Amino acid sequence: MKSYYIYIVLTRTNTAISKIIHSIKKDQYTHASISLDKELNHMYSFGRRWTYNPFVGRFRKENIYGGVYKLCNTLPGAVIELPVSKQQYEKAQELIEHFNANSHLYKYNYRGLVDSLMNREYYSSDRFLCSEFVYYIIKECGIAEFNIPRNLVRPQNLLSIDGNVIYEGDLKVFKQQVDLKFANFHLSSI
């Protein structure tokens, strides 16, 4: 019987916004993404549309070697593996595909970020923070419920989900190790 997993990826970049959030909230991680594959080839979140412009944010597919991540020599982070049912996995896949196909309708929740830093609730149906998006996906799939307004869910909160932290450290090293294992596996099968 096939096992299904969803991966939550937590990071802290060296951007000014990440540093501000870290200094105010004292959180170890300031960004969250979700992936449906252990290799983290397909990570999704809300963040900057353009690498060097923090003022325009949207739903985006992320790459550890690109975007804001490419500006970091090291990328402190954690990967949480969540065992899920086939139905939960398919629901997450469906939701992510919806966001991807309709990305022009969704924006980064800048007001929600300010309100989050002040512990105030703010709701918008078409605006998300990174951790708000990850939480939305896992909540809609019936994986976790925090019983707090979704804009108040911080990346740090996602560590409390019942899952396995399969890696903690420099995510660039993790990705290189995963890519190397994948390449070696394909070479040995030739």
Side-chain angles (χ1 to χ4, degrees), residues 39-52:
E39 296 78 25
L40 308 183
N41 291 326
H42 306 282
M43 297 179 356
Y44 302 92
S45 190
F46 274 74
R48 295 175 184 206
R49 182 171 186 179
W50 299 290
T51 301
Y52 297 100

Side-chain angles (χ1 to χ4, degrees), residues 1-160:
M1 181 179 208
K2 182 176 178 176
S3 297
Y4 292 89
Y5 300 96
I6 290 175
Y7 298 88
I8 295 175
V9 183
L10 305 176
T11 57
R12 189 177 77 236
T13 64
N14 58 5
T15 65
I17 291 176
S18 178
K19 289 176 182 176
I20 290 168
I21 294 168
H22 177 67
S23 69
I24 292 172
K25 291 295 188 177
K26 308 297 184 219
D27 289 348
Q28 183 177 4
Y29 301 113
T30 57
H31 184 69
S33 307
I34 194 164
S35 179
L36 300 177
D37 64 280
K38 189 174 189 173
E39 296 78 25
L40 308 183
N41 291 326
H42 306 282
M43 297 179 356
Y44 302 92
S45 190
F46 274 74
R48 295 175 184 206
R49 182 171 186 179
W50 299 290
T51 301
Y52 297 100
N53 182 349
F55 302 108
V56 179
R58 65 177 175 99
F59 173 79
R60 57 178 294 121
K61 184 176 178 184
E62 296 180 326
N63 176 339
I64 286 183
Y65 300 123
V68 170
Y69 296 142
K70 76 178 176 185
L71 304 177
C72 304
N73 291 328
T74 60
L75 184 59
V79 180
I80 305 164
E81 182 180 69
L82 303 175
V84 296
S85 69
K86 180 181 180 186
Q87 292 78 17
Q88 289 171 320
Y89 184 89
E90 289 172 348
K91 177 70 173 176
Q93 197 171 35
E94 175 186 314
L95 289 168
I96 290 169
E97 285 172 7
H98 167 79
F99 275 89
N100 202 31
N102 297 287
S103 63
H104 61 286
L105 300 175
Y106 296 101
K107 306 289 184 245
Y108 189 82
N109 191 1
Y110 289 103
R111 177 170 172 200
L113 175 61
V114 172
D115 286 342
S116 167
L117 293 173
M118 297 178 180
N119 292 318
R120 291 189 312 227
E121 178 179 355
Y122 175 76
Y123 174 80
S124 174
S125 62
D126 63 347
R127 296 181 181 272
F128 290 83
L129 300 168
C130 61
S131 51
E132 182 178 10
F133 167 72
V134 172
Y135 176 58
Y136 174 81
I137 298 293
I138 61 176
K139 181 181 177 189
E140 291 297 308
C141 294
I143 298 167
E145 168 67 70
F146 292 153
N147 294 311
I148 60 174
R150 70 180 201 202
N151 77 297
L152 297 182
V153 174
R154 303 191 325 255
Q156 211 61 31
N157 297 123
L158 298 168
L159 283 169
S160 68

